[in-house]
Every structure is written in structure tokens, then in C-alpha cells.
Amino acid sequence: MVHRLITSCCTRVLSSQTRVLCSRSFSSPLYPLQPKHVDPNHDALYEESLNNPERFWGDLAKHRLRWSKEFDTVMDCDMHKGKISWFLGGKLNVSDNCIDRHVEVTPDRTALIWEKDEPNQHQRVSYRELKEMTCQIANTFKQYGIVKGDRVAVYMPVSPLLVATMLACARIGAVHSVVFAGFSAEALKSRILDASCKVVVTADQGVRGGKVIELKRTVDTAVVDCDCVENVFVMSRTGASVPWKDGRDVKLEEAMEQQSTECPAEVLDSEDPLFMLYTSGSTGKPKGLLHTQAGYILYAGLTHQLVFDYHHGDVFACVSDIGWINGHSSVVYGPLSNGATTTLFESVPTYPDPGRYWEMVERLKIKQFYTAPTAIRLLLKCGDHYVHKYNRDTLTTLGCVGEPLNTGAWEWYHNVVGGGRCTVVDTWWQTETGGIMITPRPSSGHTRSKPGFPMTPFLGVEPVLYNDQNELLEGNNVSGRLCIKKPTPGMARTIYGDHERFLDTYYRPYPGVYFTGDGALRDKDGHYKITGRVDDVINTKGHRLGTAELESVMDEDPRVAEAAVVGYGHEDYGEAIYAYVILKDEVRDNEELIIKDLKAAITKHIGSFAVPHCFMITPGLPKTRSGKIMRRILRKVAENKPEELGDVSTLADPPIVSTIVEKHQQKYGTK
Ligand code: WTA
């Protein structure tokens, strides 16, 4: 039905024009995709989506979403001003779209499969049960005075109650801010304060890979100085007894039991806020990207359905944590808006052993599986027998996101995990874009995919590349900074509380387009490959971190004069983190002790996942004469490529380069 609606809005078939302008080729072997449900009009549809976005998106929004009142205006966007608004005048509720309309037709269909950390244990939650849980939480929130527009911080384990908490916020128009449960108390506190959250929802403890995580205790520390927080709701995950503050703390399940399983869904405007999600940028302060209702849910649902070729009855598994955008769009909102069965993966890929994913695929009969390159690289090192041990015949689509997927990992995923018969979709997108933007599309009939290439823009997406001189790069066989020319409905609308920063970061660098912060190349066939961040952001082990965030933590140590952090290519992690630290002249402390303290400070302020892999205490840093740190040089040193340092003679202090090269080699060798 939806499939028909997609194609019905395409009215004319346009011939695709491929211009091959340059001779340099980025050669890669081509692998066949094996789509089950082919949409033959993809090219025409893509053209239509760019040429006539109002009709294209308007038709989709009308037919795919349930409206209380249909919108009057499809879009009101001005990329020059960073203004993005969709479906104005429309009224709807996202939780109604994700639950109620499915409950009315198929109440007993499984909405969630909770793959608990404990091996071999899963629980199913039907759409009816999900609705009941959601309504009970929504009613609990109302009882505690949470109203439309209030911010709710969520610091919970991946679980059905986490999903129901998000949907309960959506139901009453509160704005959730999910914080990954690996962040420290300090990081949680700064996010709670930035958004002035009225309540925090957490659990007694979390468990990951068999290890206990003290969630409630962390929240207790975080909220000590948060006057805005009135209540802390605590879900029971392990049942452990945890410190309790009467009057403030509320047992979530007990409160829910008192409540009705019905709660009317608030009628909201298309552009009312749905959630905010913090992500790292190039300054020390994380930014709360704000997403709104109709455009976001439309885009999350459409991309989930088409990129993964999802059909009713399929079991979909995105193993990301819900604390990241991938968890929001690909675990929760995209699948649920499509009435899908979605898996909530609470564990880690190597627990109890590196066969965990594939054992789960066999047991739950998973069809579409979505993970991060770092997990694929980790598992391929553990040996193929962990994969072969389990039956993976149900798999049809294998996705990945978060960093470039190198050819070796792509081939292993395709040949070993997929047995050479599944479609691999390397998807490129960001917290800011809300949904997948560049990706192979199995349902499009495009039958070829290149390892390491996200390939082609999704419907409505027009990528453009700029060179360092801010000139638009036309034609193929070019590489530059990746920008997006046309607004899409799922894009973030602002940074919570700092619209100027939003404009400065995304819309002012290249006027008239959205700047992604990534570099990309467009090969001779017009296919895209992402080359990595061009700003001071590091993608490490599937986490996104700003170098400035780490530097400001280290700068706070009274012994540190200056710190510079860079990401460098790493076989397993995609990028690893290298910290260069200059101490104040008078400091005589042992270097190892200082490094130990810096590691502890980063764990305290951000989380242990952010601790750099290498540290160097150095007498100086390579800087230009105007005082700018030459991070390119620091990266080459970290990668052990002194031969690629280039001309360093124009630096303020050229000999410092050989000093840091020697220090690096003494400490970490030449490999
Ligand atoms: C990177 C994750 C290469 C990129 C959904 C982007 C990728 C950042 C890919 C966003 C890919 C994401 N190939 N790099 N397929 N997908 N990235 O906000 O640098 O956590 O800007 O969103 O991850 O990370 P975020």
C-alpha cells in the first residue's frame, strides 16, 4: 500500500543524466544487490523529489501520516536563513502515529523484542501492550505536573520502558532529551541544566556485557545542583536497592500501576518540538539538536522502509543504543511509525562471546540487521566460526552507519555474515539530518553497490561539494566538503537555546546550503564516498566527540598549560584519539601520574568511552605564526607517517616537529 503511494506521486520519467567529466577513477569492485521488492521508477521518483518537492513530500505526508487536521502549507524553508519548516497548519501526534493507528488494526502484532543483556533472553511487547505502557507513563507524567513543552531527561537502559517513556513524552507534547547511559554524572548534569529538564527518568542500575552500571547513583550525583529537577522516576532493572530521596524519587512501575491505560494523545502542531538530542561539535559545549513532529516522523519512517526494504512481518534489528540518533530514528521512531517489529538490543557484540549478534539473528529470525563499522571490524577479527555457527538464512539486508566502512570490513559483512546473498547498505547521515541521507536503496532497483560507498542520495536529497575556496564542484570525479542543497523534512530545526550557533555551524559556512562537517568524494559514476570529518569532530568506536570537549577537560587541570586532541585513522576504531599535552613550566610531577589523572578527569566529565588512546606530554605544539595549532601535523605524527608531514619550515617553531616525532616513536614505536 505504502509502496504504491510512493510510486503514485511520480508522474513523469526523466532520463538520468550521468556526466563523466574527469579521467581519474576511484575504482572499486561492484557487487550485486539482491532486492526483493523492486521499485522500477526510482530515477524518475528521485528527479520528481528534487524538481517538485512540495508535491512529492506533500503527497507522502498526506498518505503516510495520520493527521488530526491536515496541513495547509507543505514547506516554508529558506536555506539562506537556515529556516526549515514543514507541513504548517497541520496537527497530529507522533505517539498516535507510532502506536494507536497500528493497535486499531493489529493490536497483537509484536512492536518490540527486548534482547536483554543476559544471553538467550528476550521479551516481546505487542503494540497493544506498548500503548498501555505509554499511556500509563503519560498519565504518571501528567500527575506530576509535566505539561506540553516541558523537557524530560531520560537516562535509561535500552528497554521497552525507555521506548514507552519517549512515546509518553510525545503523547503529551513534552520534549525528551535522551542521554546515553554511558555518559558521566557531569556530562548528564550539563545536559539537564542546558535544557532545564523538569524531571529525569532512570533505572536503579543498568547491565551491559554482564557488568552493572550504577544509573541511579549517577543521576543522584548529577542532579545535586540542578534546581530545575523536581522528580526522578526510577525503573527497576536489576531490583538492587539504591539510595532514595523521599519526595523527589518515584518508583516508575509503581506509579504506572495506579494509572489508566488510556491517555488521549495531545493534538500538536507539525512544528512543535518532539525531542532534543545532544551531540558534539567543534566547541567544548555539546549542542542539543532539536527535532520537530511531522517532518521528522515522516522522514524516519520513509527511510526505514525503503532503505531496509522493510515489509510487515519482518523482524528488524538496529543494535545501536537508543541514546544516539540512530537509536531514535532506526530503533524507535522509524520502525514504529511503519508498524514494524523492532529489536531493542541491550547488550554488547562480544557478550557472552563474539557470536552474540548471529545467535540472536537465528533465534529472533532477523531480516534486516543494522550496526556500526567498529562492531564489524571487531567481530571480523574474532574469526568466521562465530558467524558460521548460526543460521542466518533469514537475513536480507545488512546495514551500517557511523563511520566509513573500509573495503575489508564491507567484504566480510557481505561475504561472511551475509553469505554473499544480502544487500549491504552503508548509510550516511547525522544527528542533524534526522534520517538516512546517502545510501544504496535495495527497493530502488539499483543493483550495484561499491564497498565503502554510501552511493546515492535518498529521495529529496541533493548533495553538493565545495572546495577549500568555497567554490561549488560540478561534475564527477571530485572531492570536497559535503553540503546538502535542498531542505528535507527530517532535518533539525535549531540548537536548543542557541539558534545563532545553529546558523554559524550549519548555514553560514556555505550560504544557501546545509554544511555537514564531512568531506566526501563523488566518483566517476557519480557515487558518493565519505572521507571523514573536516571539522574538529572525531568519530571513535561509533561515538561522536568534539576535540574541544576533551581539550577543555584537560585544560582544567592546574598543571596543564595547553592540550591538543586529534583523531587519527585506526584499524579497529575507525578513528582513535591522541592527546598532546603541554605542562606548565614549574610542574615536576611524574608524567605517568599526570596522564592517569587526565584519564580520570575525562571519565568524570564525559565518560570512560571518551578517554584518548594515546597521550604525549610535549614541550610544545606545532603552530602557525598566528598561533593556530597545526592539527594536520599532529595527526600525521599519530599515524606514524612523518614522511607525510610536508613543509614545516613556516611554523613558529619548526624543530618542535622532530621533537614530537621522536617522542612518539620512543613511546609507541614506529608502527
Ligand atoms: C559519520 C550517526 C562515513 C559522519 C547517524 C557524520 C559516516 C557523523 C557514515 C554523524 C557513513 C555517519 N560513512 N561516515 N556511512 N555515517 N558517518 O551524528 O562523519 O552520531 O557526520 O550520526 O558520523 O554522527 P552522528
Side-chain angles (χ1 to χ4, degrees):
M1 159 86 161
V2 178
H3 186 69
R4 220 176 48 235
L5 290 170
I6 298 249
T7 47
S8 73
C9 71
C10 171
T11 50
R12 62 210 158 103
V13 175
L14 301 166
S15 63
S16 66
Q17 298 177 328
T18 314
R19 286 183 295 159
V20 182
L21 297 181
C22 305
S23 56
R24 194 160 66 93
S25 75
F26 303 99
S27 65
S28 289
L30 290 167
Y31 285 84
L33 297 179
Q34 284 155 348
K36 203 174 114 218
H37 305 274
V38 171
D39 161 11
N41 285 329
H42 172 77
D43 287 347
L45 202 56
Y46 178 67
E47 294 291 324
E48 170 74 3
S49 71
L50 295 192
N51 294 338
N52 204 338
E54 292 210 18
R55 187 166 66 198
F56 178 80
W57 291 114
D59 276 358
L60 287 174
K62 239 181 247 171
H63 293 117
R64 291 181 67 100
L65 301 179
R66 176 151 88 173
W67 297 90
S68 305
K69 176 185 167 288
E70 212 170 85
F71 49 91
D72 320 304
T73 308
V74 175
M75 59 198 284
D76 180 12
C77 303
D78 182 345
M79 297 289 269
H80 281 277
K81 297 191 178 138
K83 178 180 180 205
I84 316 281
S85 304
W86 288 84
F87 313 119
L88 296 148
K91 293 195 182 288
L92 80 174
N93 184 285
V94 165
S95 86
D96 174 63
N97 274 276
C98 287
I99 336 178
D100 301 44
R101 62 176 173 155
H102 309 309
V103 173
E104 287 159 22
V105 191
T106 49
D108 297 323
R109 177 188 291 158
T110 302
L112 315 174
I113 305 179
W114 184 19
E115 173 71 8
K116 297 177 78 170
D117 189 60
E118 297 83 352
N120 272 306
Q121 281 194 34
H122 64 265
Q123 276 177 19
R124 289 173 191 270
V125 176
S126 69
Y127 271 93
R128 185 175 35 77
E129 289 162 337
L130 179 60
K131 182 179 170 192
E132 288 171 2
M133 283 159 62
T134 301
C135 288
Q136 285 179 310
I137 300 178
N139 286 328
T140 306
F141 283 168
K142 281 187 182 172
Q143 187 197 332
Y144 282 86
I146 299 167
V147 295
K148 182 181 164 191
D150 282 345
R151 275 82 54 214
V152 173
V154 182
Y155 188 72
M156 295 171 85
V158 170
S159 57
L161 277 180
L162 164 53
V163 177
T165 300
M166 295 162 77
L167 292 167
C169 291
R171 200 159 189 91
I172 63 172
V175 182
H176 60 72
S177 165
V178 180
V179 179
F180 170 56
F183 275 111
S184 67
E186 293 265 342
L188 174 62
K189 173 179 154 188
S190 69
R191 285 157 178 75
I192 292 172
L193 288 176
D194 185 69
S196 288
C197 294
K198 195 166 182 177
V199 297
V200 184
V201 190
T202 188
D204 45 10
Q205 294 176 318
V207 268
R208 279 192 98 210
K211 293 196 191 89
V212 168
I213 308 162
E214 296 291 349
L215 299 180
K216 171 67 164 62
R217 284 172 204 270
T218 306
V219 171
D220 284 344
T221 312
V223 300
V224 167
D225 300 320
C226 298
D227 291 342
C228 49
V229 173
E230 293 174 10
N231 292 104
V232 175
F233 295 95
V234 187
M235 146 192 173
S236 166
R237 173 61 181 88
T238 62
S241 95
V242 288
W244 207 256
K245 187 166 172 192
D246 288 333
R248 183 196 70 184
D249 298 347
V250 180
K251 291 200 166 150
L252 183 62
E253 290 91 336
E254 283 180 16
M256 284 168 67
E257 268 171 29
Q258 315 296 315
Q259 301 293 337
S260 157
T261 52
E262 289 291 333
C263 172
E266 186 95 14
V267 176
L268 300 169
D269 287 341
S270 293
E271 284 296 338
D272 277 336
L274 174 63
F275 67 84
M276 65 177 73
L277 186 58
Y278 284 85
T279 190
S280 298
S282 41
T283 72
K285 191 170 178 266
K287 44 197 177 185
L289 269 311
L290 189 81
H291 285 279
T292 56
Q293 312 272 330
Y296 171 78
I297 198 70
L298 174 69
Y299 198 75
L302 187 70
T303 46
H304 167 256
Q305 186 199 349
L306 296 187
V307 173
F308 291 96
D309 201 18
Y310 185 84
H311 291 261
H312 284 314
D314 296 352
V315 177
F316 177 82
C318 167
V319 291
S320 164
D321 193 283
I322 293 177
W324 311 114
I325 190 66
N326 204 16
H328 283 55
S329 304
S330 313
V331 180
V332 180
Y333 287 114
L336 295 180
S337 71
N338 289 329
T341 297
T342 183
T343 309
L344 314 178
F345 184 70
E346 190 185 26
S347 195
V348 295
T350 48
Y351 180 73
D353 67 39
R356 176 67 186 255
Y357 282 161
W358 324 123
E359 185 278 323
M360 176 179 81
V361 165
E362 177 181 301
R363 180 164 34 88
L364 303 183
K365 299 193 172 32
I366 289 164
K367 276 213 156 175
Q368 295 90 355
F369 181 80
Y370 197 18
T371 187
T374 186
I376 300 170
R377 284 191 290 264
L378 173 75
L379 296 178
L380 81 80
K381 287 203 161 170
C382 299
D384 297 358
H385 59 285
Y386 283 113
V387 185
H388 291 146
K389 223 166 131 183
Y390 302 102
N391 184 322
R392 302 155 342 269
D393 286 351
T394 50
L395 286 174
T396 57
T397 314
L398 299 172
C400 74
V401 60
E403 317 142 53
L405 181 66
N406 53 306
T407 305
W410 193 101
E411 288 179 338
W412 186 79
Y413 205 25
H414 180 265
N415 297 332
V416 178
V417 176
R421 47 164 202 90
C422 297
T423 304
V424 172
V425 287
D426 176 351
T427 64
W428 175 86
W429 57 297
Q430 309 178 295
T431 305
E432 293 85 343
T433 67
I436 296 167
M437 301 288 268
I438 304 184
T439 172
R441 245 190 70 195
S443 56
S444 74
H446 281 180
T447 52
R448 302 264 148 186
S449 180
K450 296 171 188 170
F453 277 67
M455 299 294 287
T456 42
F458 189 73
L459 298 169
V461 176
E462 190 177 358
V464 283
L465 300 176
Y466 286 82
N467 65 14
D468 291 347
Q469 289 75 47
N470 287 14
E471 292 158 349
L472 181 69
L473 297 168
E474 310 243 21
N476 291 339
N477 244 333
V478 287
S479 60
R481 286 154 190 248
L482 176 66
C483 298
I484 305 291
K485 195 166 167 191
K486 289 249 162 20
T488 49
M491 286 174 135
R493 305 304 197 246
T494 190
I495 291 174
Y496 185 80
D498 199 349
H499 195 61
E500 277 301 303
R501 184 175 177 199
F502 180 72
L503 299 177
D504 282 344
T505 312
Y506 304 113
Y507 290 95
R508 287 184 179 140
Y510 300 90
V513 296
Y514 161 78
F515 173 48
T516 65
D518 278 330
L521 67 80
R522 188 163 54 223
D523 77 355
K524 63 180 175 41
D525 305 315
H527 295 143
Y528 288 87
K529 181 181 173 73
I530 308 300
T531 49
R533 299 289 307 192
V534 294
D535 56 7
D536 296 325
V537 171
I538 304 175
N539 292 320
T540 182
K541 292 194 272 179
H543 301 300
R544 179 171 155 181
L545 284 167
T547 53
E549 251 173 296
L550 290 160
E551 287 163 8
S552 62
V553 172
M554 291 190 275
D555 286 343
E556 274 178 30
D557 187 305
R559 296 163 297 186
V560 171
E562 188 171 13
V565 169
V566 293
Y568 66 98
H570 189 282
E571 220 184 300
D572 297 336
Y573 307 151
E575 272 185 299
I577 311 174
Y578 203 123
Y580 295 85
V581 181
I582 305 179
L583 299 179
K584 289 183 182 153
D585 285 346
E586 66 277 10
V587 176
R588 295 285 167 267
D589 288 1
N590 170 299
E591 284 193 5
E592 289 314 311
L593 176 75
I594 295 175
I595 292 171
K596 195 167 150 244
D597 291 346
L598 292 176
K599 286 182 177 173
I602 290 166
T603 304
K604 176 163 178 265
H605 288 276
I606 305 176
S608 55
F609 64 88
V611 171
H613 307 90
C614 298
F615 280 85
M616 179 193 294
I617 304 284
T618 166
L621 289 167
K623 290 187 181 173
T624 59
R625 294 210 174 125
S626 58
K628 191 171 173 312
I629 299 172
M630 295 295 289
R631 289 168 194 276
R632 190 184 58 77
I633 293 179
L634 296 177
R635 239 174 258 130
K636 290 290 169 207
V637 174
E639 286 166 3
N640 237 320
K641 292 182 180 156
E643 68 285 358
E644 292 179 16
L645 287 173
D647 180 15
V648 297
S649 61
T650 55
L651 295 178
D653 174 20
I656 190 63
V657 177
S658 27
T659 310
I660 60 172
V661 169
E662 268 165 41
K663 271 195 146 267
H664 171 82
Q665 294 184 342
Q666 270 165 18
K667 190 160 177 196
Y668 297 106
T670 49
K671 284 236 178 266

